[in-house]
Amino acid sequence: MPRTIAQVRAYTVRGKGADYHDQSGYHWIDDHIATPMSVYPEYRQSRQSFGINVLGTLVVEIEADDGTVGFAVTTAGEIGAWIVEKHLARFLEGRPVTDLERIWDQMYRSTLYYGRRGVVLNAISGVDLALYDLLGRLRGEPVHALLGGPVRDELQFYATGARPDVAKELGFIGGKMPLHHGPAEGEEGMRRNLDALADMRGRVGEDFWLMWDCWMSLDVDYATRLAHRAAEHGLRWLEEALIPDDYWGYAQLKRQVPPGMLVTTGEHEATRWGFRQLLETGVDIIQPDVNWCGGITELIKISAMADAHGTMVVPHGSSVYSYHFVVTRTNSPFAEFLMMHETAEKIVPMFAPLLLGEPVPENGRLRVPDTPGFGVELNPDVERSRPFTH
Ligand SMILES: C[C@H](O)[C@H](O)CC(=O)C(=O)O
Ligand SMILES: [Mg+2]
């Protein structure tokens, strides 16, 4: 008989951690990056000014009836803690730890009237990942073994950050930069974007992948013009050019970009139904975030559907939670590493300082550890609180 779930607990943490936009002091990740809010000049310089970091980190702990505890982290803060404690916990406590599918389905169906995506799916993802962690710990196996085992010996990474030139030195296969100026900054902003790309191309040489992360800031017309002008500097892909709801725009953009340039998106999409719509647009790479899209139980379905469309799945960030998945799938040939060092010049663990044992790539590569569950522990020195109980 499988173990049963004794208790579900939700905690919040402020500063860094899973809410990696929650940085203080200078950080490249908050330095005049183009966003959907860039149409308002007063919100252009800092994403924190419009509240990109309001949520904070959610930690979900699930305890089995023998006292074994699994956990996971995501971006959802207090609102997520409330959803887990007051609504989702009832679908877990007293159930077998192996009931992944039924638990996911009940969490999703029961929250449909206020959920479907966004913070509710972040909370569901956190619960699902904590359950995988618990199952791995109980069985003494890494999560990648629960998913069918690795299809390659190690992962290779591209780096996201302000310094692709440093990423190249560190052994990454490519560098993805934030786009700094959106359509509201006119031709001057367009020129600055292209100058930055040309400058970086000059530093990294011809063959190194360079990509742009547009964080939902563009429209189809601007994105098309940007893509054509960027082609001469060898831009490999244009990421998340449009708002996530504009599936029709993505289909049009895919038809209009120069041959060979990839259109990628999906980090703010959730569930198999959202990704079905996205796959039908014809984008080249989908980028679900396993901490936000519904967890591993849902990513398995999204990935299989993408595979049948001949589309690559390169998950957004998510550290160990995506590494254990990516290593088990042939249509996920590489992974993202988000450079959380303030100037992107050094490698630091993505969710630092929240996790102990969080692995980082060396020379752009990583052998996913075989330690049980996701192989990480909560750092006891990081203060957390439990705002709600049930
Ligand atoms: C750099 C991007 O604006 C964002 O902060 C991270 C992201 O979208 C990505 O890693 O992809
Ligand atoms: Mg992105």
Side-chain angles (χ1 to χ4, degrees), residues 148-175:
V151 294
R152 58 181 79 85
D153 292 338
E154 52 184 16
L155 298 181
Q156 54 178 352
F157 290 86
Y158 77 88
T160 297
R163 296 295 304 274
D165 51 338
V166 175
K168 185 181 177 194
E169 297 300 312
L170 292 169
F172 290 94
I173 57 172

Side-chain angles (χ1 to χ4, degrees), residues 20-21 28-29 33-34 47 52 158 160 176-178 213-215 239-240 267-268 287 316-317 336 338:
Y20 57 86
H21 288 123
W28 70 266
I29 209 157
I33 290 178
R47 296 195 281 190
I52 196 172
Y158 77 88
T160 297
K176 187 174 79 187
M177 303 178 287
D213 191 316
C214 309
W215 213 74
E239 175 170 321
E240 222 189 6
E267 69 190 65
H268 296 106
Q287 300 166 305
H316 171 250
E336 174 182 15
L338 197 41

Side-chain angles (χ1 to χ4, degrees), residues 57-74:
T57 293
L58 167 69
V59 179
V60 179
E61 270 186 359
I62 305 181
E63 185 170 338
D65 57 357
D66 69 346
T68 306
V69 177
F71 82 94
V73 303
T74 183

Side-chain angles (χ1 to χ4, degrees), residues 88-108:
L88 305 182
R90 73 189 69 194
F91 305 114
L92 287 93
E93 290 171 355
R95 309 255 13 128
V97 294
T98 46
D99 264 16
L100 290 153
E101 286 290 342
R102 174 161 37 187
I103 289 168
W104 196 96
D105 198 51
Q106 292 186 350
M107 291 192 293
Y108 176 73

Side-chain angles (χ1 to χ4, degrees), residues 8-330:
V8 178
R9 299 180 287 270
Y11 301 87
T12 57
V13 173
R14 285 311 320 193
K16 303 188 177 188
D19 190 350
Y20 57 86
H21 288 123
D22 195 13
Q23 303 287 335
S24 50
Y26 175 82
H27 200 292
W28 70 266
I29 209 157
D30 201 25
D31 188 6
H32 200 115
I33 290 178
T35 79
M37 289 294 281
S38 300
V39 294
Y40 301 104
E42 67 272 32
Y43 294 112
R44 261 179 215 158
Q45 182 52 38
S46 159
R47 296 195 281 190
Q48 291 195 0
S49 71
F50 69 74
I52 196 172
N53 59 333
V54 291
L55 289 174
T57 293
L58 167 69
V59 179
V60 179
E61 270 186 359
I62 305 181
E63 185 170 338
D65 57 357
D66 69 346
T68 306
V69 177
F71 82 94
V73 303
T74 183
T75 320
E78 281 196 18
I79 184 169
W82 187 91
I83 293 167
V84 172
E85 295 266 2
K86 302 294 186 191
H87 198 170
L88 305 182
R90 73 189 69 194
F91 305 114
L92 287 93
E93 290 171 355
R95 309 255 13 128
V97 294
T98 46
D99 264 16
L100 290 153
E101 286 290 342
R102 174 161 37 187
I103 289 168
W104 196 96
D105 198 51
Q106 292 186 350
M107 291 192 293
Y108 176 73
R109 287 174 187 266
S110 65
T111 53
L112 273 172
Y113 69 97
Y114 69 103
R116 299 178 56 228
R117 50 189 66 190
V119 75
V120 175
L121 260 295
N122 293 13
I124 290 177
S125 305
V127 172
D128 183 72
L129 295 168
L131 204 45
Y132 263 98
D133 190 52
L134 176 59
L135 198 54
R137 286 170 194 260
L138 286 169
R139 291 185 177 174
E141 290 183 8
V143 170
H144 62 70
L146 305 180
L147 297 176
V151 294
R152 58 181 79 85
D153 292 338
E154 52 184 16
L155 298 181
Q156 54 178 352
F157 290 86
Y158 77 88
T160 297
R163 296 295 304 274
D165 51 338
V166 175
K168 185 181 177 194
E169 297 300 312
L170 292 169
F172 290 94
I173 57 172
K176 187 174 79 187
M177 303 178 287
L179 186 81
H180 287 290
H181 308 280
E185 289 176 80
E187 179 54 31
E188 165 76 11
M190 171 75 88
R191 208 165 21 81
R192 286 187 186 201
N193 286 334
L194 291 162
D195 286 350
L197 177 61
D199 174 62
M200 196 50 75
R201 176 54 74 205
R203 293 179 200 219
V204 299
E206 274 189 13
D207 296 331
F208 191 66
W209 295 359
L210 282 180
M211 299 79 100
W212 251 332
D213 191 316
C214 309
W215 213 74
M216 310 173 275
S217 61
L218 310 182
D219 53 54
V220 176
D221 171 61
Y222 188 98
T224 305
R225 287 187 288 118
L226 184 70
H228 281 268
R229 291 170 72 173
E232 72 176 273
H233 306 297
L235 188 75
R236 178 127 180 94
W237 79 55
L238 195 64
E239 175 170 321
E240 222 189 6
L242 311 174
I243 58 167
D245 287 328
D246 191 2
Y247 303 102
W248 308 270
Y250 276 107
Q252 194 182 344
L253 183 61
K254 169 62 193 156
R255 289 193 297 271
Q256 292 179 180
V257 293
M261 190 182 293
L262 307 179
V263 175
T264 76
T265 192
E267 69 190 65
H268 296 106
E269 190 56 85
T271 77
R272 72 202 82 156
W273 297 281
F275 279 95
R276 176 182 172 178
Q277 274 185 278
L278 212 46
L279 286 166
E280 286 171 7
T281 68
V283 294
D284 299 285
I285 299 179
I286 57 165
Q287 300 166 305
D289 186 311
V290 68
N291 290 121
W292 304 339
C293 73
I296 280 191
T297 300
E298 197 60 3
L299 186 54
I300 291 169
K301 299 172 172 93
I302 294 165
S303 167
M305 194 166 51
D307 204 14
H309 279 77
T311 305
M312 277 189 277
V313 180
V314 180
H316 171 250
S318 312
S319 185
V320 287
Y321 302 104
S322 75
Y323 304 162
H324 278 260
F325 187 83
V326 170
V327 79
T328 67
R329 293 299 188 271
T330 52

